[in-house]
Amino acid sequence: MIALILNSGLGSRMGVLTSEHPKCMTEISGKETILSRQLKLISDAGIEEVVMTTGAFDGVLANYCKELDMPVKITFVKNPVYDKTNYIYSIYCAREYLKDKDVLLMHGDLVFENSVFDEVIESENSCMTVSSTLPLPEKDFKAVIKDGKIEKVGIEFFNDAYAAQPLYKLMKDDWNRWLGAIEAYCESGDEAKKKCYAENALNELEGKNIYPLDFTDRLCAEIDDPSDLAVVSSKLKEIENRKVYMCFSTDMIHSGHISIIKKAARLGKLTIGVLSDEAVASYKRFPLLPFSERKAMFESISGVHDVVEQKTLSYRENLEKLRPDFVVHGDDWTEGFQRPIRDEVTSVLAQYGGRLVEFPYSSGDKFKELEKRARADLSMPDMRRGRLKKAIAMKGTITAIEAHSGLTGLIAENTVVYQDGGARQFDAMWISSLCDSTAKGKPDIELVDMTSRFRTIDDIMEVTTKPIIFDGDTGGLTEHFVYTVKTLERMGVSMVIIEDKTGLKKNSLFGTEVKQTQADIPDFCEKIRAGKKAQKTADFMICARIESLILERGMDDALERAFAFTDAGADAIMIHSRKKEPDEIFKFVELFREKDKTTPIVVVPTSFNTVTEEEFKERGVNVVIYANQLTRTGFPAMQNAAKMILEHHRAKECDDICMPFKEIITLIPEEN
Ligand code: SPV
Ligand code: MG
């Protein structure tokens, strides 16, 4: 596309302001002139060629353009009879440069705000700017609109007319027709036809394909005299001070982000809200970069005026504080889980007259590719291992759900629930000895050997990214435990939990119904010490699990062990109970926290399952593990299906309780 700027006019109504230079060089704000503003918009839009018609002061104008040093090539065409003709003749003079091109046509005294210009540029059809809200001007252009298209343009039309401004985008065919009519006018031999508006020639064409582009009450105005100049300058100041707000969760910027940021920055001073780490992790995945780095990343993008933290998915707090004139977002949030967030934004904006601007946005393939890379990074042992500690530090209290296979791993990884404008998902996975053993049809007595347990970890790791907490049973012999620690750490497991039992271990939920022996404190401390010595990184955590309440040895014994184990180097303490009431767990947490404010406390609320995560958090618990619910729900469902088939001698009856194949396929993504 080529831009055509008409600057041959004398601008005599501007008085002294145009005594030494053409009107387009009039300052409108700071050092900006009408022309420098136009050229900047043109070059920002990627238009590289400008044809500029000139008249008086053509040398001054050419020098000025050279000084501006814009990345556009300007061809100056002087209308030799600029004082005796109108711009129809200037266009005629420049016709050789203009044929067979899409043309952006504007008068040299026109000032428009960015969003108007952008809409003109983005228009898929030929268009002219009109306003459906401004009053009809007495002497200036009006456009008559018929069947949704521009029928006539002139100063004399008042019926079915709209205020109009000479800013056009003209697609090649439409422009060629108009240019042809201009040529015919100028070559007709009738001098009056060189003095009229170019639009007179346009009006004679049948079946024009020029559509009105409604700029409503936005700035798009010609400057004819000093009072126009004052109005436009003050409106520009107001436009430049408008506040724009956008929010981002991303840790990887792609060209889609940059282009929407650029568009937003054209609406005013752009503040970007960067989602807190916790908010990102809650609805998407653990951020690759922490908040401070994501903030710095946005600060470095040109056009960004300020970057602030947005603590939640909800925009409310920041909008009420900043009161931006515009909130900008892609148009990809009108459906799905983001819908309530959008609804809240529109209602907050409505309270003070702010506007939501949605640009077409599809992150599509670029996003998928980057997201795939991010997930690959997050699944790497070094990246995965340290994330449990980080998540605890970030959220205070995290949740884990059991996984005992690739499939249950995917459920732990991908299940998200959208609630109250936020999103909830599990932070980590628990590789339960009970569920791993059960999946293999074996009792939970350390019968499934470590090699097989590692195999389960590997299956899960292959298809997930979330941190893993491994149920290490008793940890086995100290001499063996050190090898287990090394292997788990190397694999990228974040934490192993070992319980203070010795001899034949049985599942804790049997309590005292079966014979179980608690380890001596010094022996268990020795195991912890040996494990801590064996690990290589600071990320890996060894958690000591206390069975005193399970084995009914009392609170004092539990606490004595807890402090002994932390002294021996345990990074976390798990306290277990098989009582329905949470009282003894709460008591333990309270007494432990009196002396130790920081060591993370882990609970497995299988029996005391009425307590919410919020209450655990309030009481000082840091890790809540849902240890067996996937196995316990999956198992009866499978048994039921098997029974149904046997009863009906066919599979049809159990179709209703089966997941459709399509869903299975989407749960399990194929690598490509
Ligand atoms: C497991 O899930 O294997 C556990 C927790 O160790 S519990 O079953 O409650 O003992
Ligand atoms: Mg276990």
Side-chain angles (χ1 to χ4, degrees):
M1 187 156 54
I2 190 166
L4 170 60
I5 308 179
L6 305 174
N7 272 329
S8 310
L10 285 165
S12 40
R13 278 201 278 155
M14 296 291 282
V16 286
L17 288 172
T18 50
S19 61
E20 286 172 11
H21 59 64
K23 187 160 62 164
C24 62
M25 285 172 62
T26 307
E27 271 185 23
I28 45 175
S29 79
K31 284 225 145 41
E32 206 168 43
T33 61
I34 306 175
L35 179 59
S36 71
R37 186 179 165 82
Q38 286 181 342
L39 287 176
K40 178 154 188 343
L41 284 169
I42 286 168
S43 75
D44 283 354
I47 299 173
E48 291 168 353
E49 262 189 89
V50 174
V51 173
M52 195 182 299
T53 68
T54 66
F57 305 118
D58 55 324
V60 179
L61 185 55
N63 276 339
Y64 174 66
C65 288
K66 208 167 160 197
E67 267 170 38
L68 285 177
D69 197 24
M70 294 277 182
V72 284
K73 176 176 166 273
I74 304 177
T75 306
F76 298 94
V77 179
K78 183 167 179 170
N79 175 353
V81 281
Y82 63 86
D83 50 347
K84 297 191 192 74
T85 56
N86 205 338
Y87 60 84
I88 185 167
Y89 193 70
S90 306
I91 297 174
Y92 177 74
C93 295
R95 64 192 179 283
E96 290 315 317
Y97 301 102
L98 303 171
K99 268 187 193 144
D100 296 326
K101 295 198 169 121
D102 295 336
V103 169
L104 177 74
L105 166 60
M106 65 186 73
H107 285 203
D109 57 2
L110 200 56
V111 181
F112 28 78
E113 63 180 272
N114 297 350
S115 67
V116 174
F117 179 81
D118 290 348
E119 281 173 32
V120 170
I121 291 286
E122 278 160 21
S123 167
E124 283 172 8
N125 301 306
S126 296
C127 63
M128 177 188 200
T129 44
V130 304
S131 169
S132 62
T133 54
L134 293 182
L136 291 186
E138 235 357 85
K139 293 187 202 135
D140 290 332
F141 270 157
K142 291 159 283 280
V144 177
I145 295 171
K146 204 172 148 202
D147 301 331
K149 294 183 189 174
I150 303 281
E151 172 76 3
K152 281 180 282 186
V153 180
I155 58 171
E156 67 274 36
F157 307 117
F158 286 89
N159 289 336
D160 297 324
Y162 290 85
Q165 291 296 355
L167 171 63
Y168 299 87
K169 177 179 180 177
L170 297 151
M171 310 309 282
K172 187 174 72 179
D173 291 343
D174 301 320
W175 171 242
N176 276 347
R177 288 188 69 210
W178 187 3
L179 189 59
I182 290 171
E183 283 174 319
Y185 257 54
C186 292
E187 290 168 6
S188 68
D190 179 352
E191 284 306 303
K193 287 195 167 178
K194 294 182 188 167
K195 290 183 185 164
C196 64
Y197 297 117
E199 281 75 2
N200 290 26
L202 177 71
N203 290 345
E204 288 189 9
L205 296 174
E206 291 296 323
K208 289 181 282 293
N209 270 323
I210 304 175
Y211 291 77
L213 192 145
D214 190 2
F215 63 89
T216 57
D217 52 359
R218 287 176 291 170
L219 176 63
C220 184
E222 279 181 300
I223 296 180
D224 283 330
D225 54 38
S227 83
D228 288 348
L229 177 63
V231 172
V232 166
S233 294
S234 94
K235 182 118 194 200
L236 268 182
K237 208 171 257 154
E238 177 207 312
I239 288 167
E240 277 158 14
N241 284 325
R242 280 183 193 152
K243 288 187 274 183
V244 187
Y245 184 77
M246 289 189 85
C247 173
F248 283 94
S249 64
T250 192
D251 41 20
M252 291 174 296
I253 292 183
H254 58 64
S255 54
H257 296 127
I258 298 289
S259 96
I260 200 165
I261 285 173
K262 273 203 173 137
K263 283 185 184 165
R266 290 166 78 84
L267 296 172
K269 286 194 175 118
L270 173 62
T271 296
I272 286 187
V274 169
L275 268 193
S276 66
D277 289 339
E278 192 173 343
V280 176
S282 78
Y283 101 101
K284 205 162 91 172
R285 57 165 168 72
F286 202 90
L288 285 180
L289 301 174
F291 170 78
S292 56
E293 284 184 42
R294 287 182 290 120
K295 182 169 183 274
M297 185 168 83
F298 282 101
E299 278 166 346
S300 68
I301 297 176
S302 82
V304 175
H305 178 73
D306 196 15
V307 182
V308 298
E309 183 179 33
Q310 183 173 313
K311 293 198 189 83
T312 60
L313 294 186
S314 160
Y315 285 50
R316 180 180 287 279
E317 192 185 330
N318 282 4
L319 295 193
E320 286 177 348
K321 198 153 82 192
L322 301 167
R323 293 174 74 85
D325 299 276
F326 298 104
V327 168
V328 172
H329 199 283
D331 59 359
D332 55 340
W333 68 337
T334 50
E335 292 307 326
F337 83 94
Q338 296 201 77
R339 178 76 209 221
I341 302 172
R342 180 185 185 272
D343 289 346
E344 188 185 50
V345 167
T346 49
S347 92
V348 177
L349 288 173
Q351 284 164 19
Y352 65 87
R355 268 183 50 204
L356 174 63
V357 177
E358 289 168 323
F359 291 119
Y361 181 77
S362 109
S363 45
D365 291 346
K366 264 175 260 151
F367 174 75
K368 273 194 212 138
E369 182 53 40
L370 288 174
E371 202 46 33
K372 206 168 123 192
R373 250 193 278 161
R375 289 191 183 269
D377 283 354
L378 290 173
S379 71
M380 286 293 144
D382 280 340
M383 285 283 275
R384 193 193 299 241
R385 191 192 305 113
R387 277 212 319 283
L388 187 73
K389 253 190 192 171
K390 284 190 189 150
I392 295 171
M394 186 170 92
K395 298 182 81 172
T397 301
I398 63 144
T399 59
I401 188 157
E402 70 109 333
H404 57 265
S405 60
L407 181 64
T408 47
L410 281 173
I411 291 172
E413 176 86 8
N414 295 329
T415 307
V416 185
V417 165
Y418 300 104
Q419 210 174 56
D420 308 326
R424 296 174 47 74
Q425 55 176 306
F426 295 103
D427 302 294
M429 293 175 283
W430 163 245
I431 304 193
S432 148
S433 67
L434 172 68
C435 300
D436 202 358
S437 307
T438 303
K440 292 172 172 66
K442 294 198 166 150
D444 181 19
I445 53 171
E446 296 189 275
L447 175 63
V448 178
D449 66 62
M450 270 303 161
T451 309
S452 171
R453 304 279 319 273
F454 293 156
R455 178 76 235 167
T456 303
I457 297 176
D458 198 45
D459 284 346
I460 293 169
M461 282 191 157
E462 248 189 272
V463 294
T464 62
T465 67
K466 289 186 175 172
I468 287 176
I469 305 172
F470 182 71
D471 177 358
D473 288 320
T474 65
L477 296 173
T478 299
E479 293 82 347
H480 295 178
F481 181 56
V482 289
Y483 282 90
T484 304
V485 165
K486 283 185 193 168
T487 307
L488 292 173
E489 192 185 18
R490 199 172 56 239
M491 291 178 89
V493 169
S494 303
M495 174 155 87
V496 61
I497 300 186
I498 49 170
E499 56 197 275
D500 58 351
K501 282 191 203 140
T502 187
L504 181 63
K505 182 222 92 143
K506 298 262 174 80
N507 186 277
S508 299
L509 299 175
F510 286 123
T512 50
E513 291 158 26
V514 294
K515 188 176 171 319
Q516 305 206 59
T517 317
Q518 214 172 1
D520 287 338
I521 295 177
D523 289 351
F524 201 68
C525 284
E526 188 42 43
K527 199 183 281 187
I528 294 167
R529 255 184 240 111
K532 287 308 291 174
K533 210 168 138 204
Q535 77 180 62
K536 295 275 178 286
T537 69
D539 295 336
F540 188 73
M541 299 170 82
I542 296 178
C543 172
R545 163 172 168 176
I546 296 160
E547 294 288 293
S548 305
L549 303 180
I550 293 281
L551 300 175
E552 296 174 10
R553 295 284 179 79
M555 188 60 69
D556 289 346
D557 184 69
L559 287 164
E560 184 189 347
R561 284 168 178 268
F563 295 122
F565 299 159
T566 49
D567 281 351
D571 300 288
I573 292 293
M574 171 176 155
I575 183 68
H576 207 14
S577 162
R578 65 181 193 123
K579 299 233 164 86
K580 274 228 142 298
E581 297 308 318
D583 304 7
E584 62 180 10
I585 289 285
F586 288 168
K587 192 79 206 157
F588 174 90
V589 174
E590 184 191 325
L591 294 171
F592 183 75
R593 280 280 174 254
E594 273 177 16
K595 288 205 184 146
D596 184 329
K597 301 266 183 273
T598 53
T599 304
I601 300 178
V602 182
V603 295
V604 177
T606 305
S607 305
F608 44 100
N609 55 15
T610 53
V611 186
T612 61
E613 292 153 19
E614 290 75 13
E615 182 166 7
F616 279 129
K617 183 170 186 173
E618 220 164 88
R619 289 178 182 271
V621 170
N622 307 91
V623 181
V624 179
I625 297 177
Y626 299 100
N628 46 48
Q629 284 74 10
L630 298 188
T631 295
R632 283 166 58 211
T633 48
F635 188 75
M638 290 190 276
Q639 221 172 22
N640 193 15
K643 271 190 197 161
M644 273 182 153
I645 293 169
L646 285 177
E647 277 166 13
H648 293 94
H649 305 214
R650 63 181 193 179
K652 183 180 183 317
E653 284 70 18
C654 78
D655 253 13
D656 285 350
I657 59 166
C658 283
M659 179 185 234
F661 266 103
K662 245 197 187 148
E663 281 180 36
I664 290 251
I665 292 163
T666 53
L667 178 66
I668 302 176
E670 266 183 53
E671 281 293 321
N672 45 31

